[in-house]
Structures are given as structure tokens and as C-alpha cells.
Amino acid sequence: MPRQSKAVERILPERTLVVDNGAYTIKAGFANSLPNPDTDCHVIPNFIAKSRDNRIWIGAQMEECSDYGDMGFRRPIQKGFLVNWEAEREIWEKTFLAKDAKVKCDPHDTSLLLTEAPNCPVALQSNCDQMVFEEFEFAAYRRCVGPSLNAFNDIGILVEDPPRTIDLDFLPVECVLVIDSGYSHTTVTPVYKGRPIQQAIRRLEMGSKVLTNYMKEMLSVRQMDVRDETHLINQMKEDTCFVSSNFRNDLESIGKGPLAAGRKAPRREEDIVVDFVLPDYSTRMRGEVRPHDPTTMPMRTKVGAVTNADGVKEYIMALGNERFAVPELLFNPGDIGMKQAGLPETVMQSMSGLPPGLWPSMLSNILVIGGNAKFDGFLARLSSEIRQLAPAECPVRVAIAPDPIKSTWLGGARLAGNKIALKDVLVTRQEYQEYGSAWLLKRFAAGSTN
């Protein structure tokens, strides 16, 4: 009689570490039955920096840094893909393994739920799997497309469906169109029952990095050389920029003001132009936005030095059309010569890869995540332009996640909170050692370990 093999029960660790490994920051924390992004999720810089005094700062150590001037950055993720594991390993070790780690864990008794960008090359996926199991030796692991985890959040309440209690047994939601506009790029990912629809994923090569670099170039030409002040200009962009509802009109109103022609400013220009006080990294660690004062800054040709009431000299930049010309690139990449459609058109290109029967469900459940979603006016402009392009019979509802930075992590934490669903998608280290990396790639591509 042939000998039958015994079925070996898969024993999984009790703790699951959810890591949304973004190009700008890592969002990491342990899953539990009721995850709270404010207390359970930690946001850690995902880079190695070198300050002007040649000191090296790794990941979370940046919280101790007080001088960001002329700082250089080394990022393990380029164009959205993890290409430098030498740098990433140092950041992960400081984040997860060091004695003072913010999210300290023992990989041997921890499962890892790790995100990746859509359409990641197979060679990079295989390299990532090897690092997780062979270098860090996590007990179990799941690599998944980051935007798809947002299907485990309560999308209905964001798009004004009747409120309901979140039940993990009824997640993921059936249809959601996730727009992820982050540091490296912007992706449009249709997600059906928790899985991305591969042929409909579209990518716009426009992200926060391009916007920051564009703002650096504009200010370097118009006012002062800030090409080496990446951290400062990124903060300036986040604090001052907004998406214009009518770009042409706003641009013309700036051109008619006293900053350009010496005439009386219309009310609209007064609303747009602001003064940005530069930090000196001794008495002021962060820049400050103030209403524009034309008596102290009559021209925008250069940075102005002003002595305040306390006798401290301040250096001020007046910002005008830079505030809305920078995020305008998300809607019109052609402004800098990029031969790609804007974000609303990219959404409709994604729709063209779907069966027409899914269009109403997807267009009525559009979720925007990523740091660029925080620009004032972004939601209204995006919703308006998609409505103009979409078929009249399809309702269009667009919502920004309550916390667009941590939304993907929260979805992953909710998935990990469902032990039955989690057991179905995890792969153990023993299985990896037995079947190899090629088998693992197929399992993750199939979306299940059964």
C-alpha cells in the first residue's frame, strides 16, 4: 500500500508587522484587532542623509537632526522600486532591530506584511523575497501591491454611503479605484475584491520629487540659489502650495499685481502671495508662512532681509505663482515637456482597460492617497475634471483618505487583524526554503498560498 505523507500544520507567529515601504517614508507598526494609525503606525524617513558637517543620519535618526542645510540624501527606492538593499538594510536594522528601535521586533517570531509598487519587475521582487527570508529571517511573509490594501478600509463612509460598522468578515470592498500620488510617481489602480486589475493599472511619472525639483528651479532662477536645499524647499512646497481651480485666471491676476508692474494689487493677488520666513537652524528650525507684507517685500526679485520686533534679522521669500504652478504639473505634465496625460486623463485611460460594467462602481468609489493628496484644492479640481471626462450615466465620487499617508498601512493592519484571511496569504520561511523563490513568486502572483 503506498505510503501517505502527513499534512503538516502551518504554525504562524502571533505578531504581524505591517510595513508600507514608501520612497519617502516607511509606515510601520504591529497589527491588532482594532488598529489605530495615530498610535500604532510609525512614520520613519526612508533615506540616509549626510549633513554639511559630514555626519550620517539613518532613517529615524533624522528626528534628532537640527540642521538640514545643504543636506544630501541617499534613497533606496528609485522611481517607486526598491533597487538599493544595501541602504535599505541599514534603515531596516535601525528601525526594527536596534536596541532603541521605534518598531522593535524579533523577525524569528514575527510575520511581515510588506507593500510594493504596482508592476514591480520580477528581478526586484525576487531580490526582496530573498532579503526578507534569508537576510532578516522573518518567520512568515506576504508581499502585496500597496494600493490594493486600501480595499480593507471603509471606503463607503468616505464617499457618503450610509455609515456602518466595520466588519472584517465583509472586507475587502468589492470595487475601489485607488489613486496613489506619492514621492516617486502617481499610480491609478482599480481593485476588485482586494486584488488589483493588472491590465488597467496606469502610471504617471509625476510625484512629489518632481514637484520639489521644479520649485527649486523656479526659485533658483527668480530669487536665490536653493538647488542644494531639498529639505527646505520640500517643506515650503507642503506648507504653501495649492491646486488652482482656474490656473489661467490665477496666473493672469498675479501678472497684473504690483509685484510685476507696480500697480495696485487686486484682491485675488493678495490672497495668493505669501511671505515665507527662511529658517536659520539656530533660532528658527522650520520655515514659517505669513501674509504678504508689500512694505517689507515690495519685489520678488531676491530674498529680503528684515529685522523683526525682537531685533532678530529674518530672511523672507515672497511666493506668488509658484504656489499653484508647482502642483499644476499633476494635471498638466506638458508644462515641463513631459509627454504624458494629466491625472484626470490617466484615470480615464485606466477605465478603458476595464469592462464597461465595472465603470459605474469604480468611478463612484475613487479613493485618493499619498502625500500630494494634501494640497488644498486637489480634491475639488480632480473631481471636477474627472466628471467632465466620464460618461454622463456614471456617477463620480472622489474622496481623500482621512490620513492619506497612513491609509495603506491601515488597510494592511486590518487585513492582518483577520487571522483567517492572513493565514491564507502568508508564506512561511520553511515553505520558502523547501520550494524556493520561483515558487514564491508564483504564489504571490496568484494571491493565495492555498
Side-chain angles (χ1 to χ4, degrees), residues 253-298:
S253 70
I254 286 289
K256 294 176 182 178
L259 298 178
R263 296 190 296 270
K264 184 178 179 180
R267 176 177 171 79
R268 183 54 181 156
E269 178 172 7
E270 293 176 355
D271 294 338
I272 294 176
V273 180
V274 297
D275 290 341
F276 188 84
V277 185
L278 300 176
D280 56 15
Y281 300 116
S282 57
T283 60
R284 186 188 299 276
M285 301 301 172
R286 182 180 175 87
E288 178 185 348
V289 183
R290 296 176 182 171
H292 178 60
D293 184 357
T295 62
T296 57
M297 287 292 296

Side-chain angles (χ1 to χ4, degrees), residues 180-421:
D180 185 358
S181 187
Y183 178 77
S184 300
H185 59 267
T186 298
T187 56
V188 180
T189 308
V191 181
Y192 181 72
K193 294 184 177 179
R195 298 190 59 185
I197 302 177
Q198 193 66 35
Q199 73 272 15
I201 295 175
R202 296 294 182 269
R203 171 173 167 139
L204 173 62
E205 301 292 342
M206 181 65 64
S208 178
K209 179 180 180 180
V210 175
L211 302 185
T212 300
N213 288 340
Y214 183 51
M215 194 167 194
K216 285 196 296 184
E217 291 178 7
M218 293 177 73
L219 295 176
S220 295
V221 170
R222 297 176 179 181
Q223 301 198 44
M224 64 176 291
D225 189 355
V226 291
R227 289 174 295 177
D228 295 329
E229 301 292 345
T230 301
H231 186 274
L232 170 63
I233 302 305
N234 188 70
Q235 182 230 319
M236 183 186 296
K237 177 197 70 182
E238 293 175 352
D239 290 352
T240 65
C241 285
F242 66 93
V243 175
S244 172
S245 59
N246 193 322
F247 180 76
R248 184 180 297 275
N249 284 355
D250 286 343
L251 197 62
E252 289 178 354
S253 70
I254 286 289
K256 294 176 182 178
L259 298 178
R263 296 190 296 270
K264 184 178 179 180
R267 176 177 171 79
R268 183 54 181 156
E269 178 172 7
E270 293 176 355
D271 294 338
I272 294 176
V273 180
V274 297
D275 290 341
F276 188 84
V277 185
L278 300 176
D280 56 15
Y281 300 116
S282 57
T283 60
R284 186 188 299 276
M285 301 301 172
R286 182 180 175 87
E288 178 185 348
V289 183
R290 296 176 182 171
H292 178 60
D293 184 357
T295 62
T296 57
M297 287 292 296
M299 298 293 290
R300 283 191 298 125
T301 54
K302 60 182 179 180
V303 176
V306 180
T307 302
N308 63 19
D310 298 326
V312 178
K313 182 175 287 189
E314 297 177 334
Y315 292 90
I316 299 176
M317 274 188 176
L319 302 176
N321 61 25
E322 298 91 350
R323 295 186 62 201
F324 57 88
V326 169
E328 182 67 19
L329 296 182
L330 291 166
F331 296 86
N332 289 291
D335 288 354
I336 57 171
M338 183 177 290
K339 296 182 179 179
Q340 275 193 289
L343 183 52
E345 292 82 3
T346 303
V347 169
M348 297 313 299
Q349 289 174 6
S350 176
M351 288 293 98
S352 67
L354 297 174
L358 286 179
W359 282 39
S361 298
M362 290 293 180
L363 289 172
S364 62
N365 291 282
I366 301 176
L367 180 68
V368 186
I369 61 173
N372 295 328
K374 290 188 170 184
F375 285 127
D376 287 342
F378 181 88
L379 178 62
R381 171 82 176 271
L382 180 63
S383 179
S384 173
E385 296 200 3
I386 293 178
R387 176 65 279 172
Q388 295 173 28
L389 298 173
E393 64 272 14
C394 293
V396 174
R397 299 186 300 180
V398 186
I400 294 177
D403 189 337
I405 302 296
K406 298 180 180 179
S407 180
T408 296
W409 178 90
L410 180 59
R414 284 179 171 152
L415 168 60
N418 187 332
K419 297 298 183 182
I420 297 176

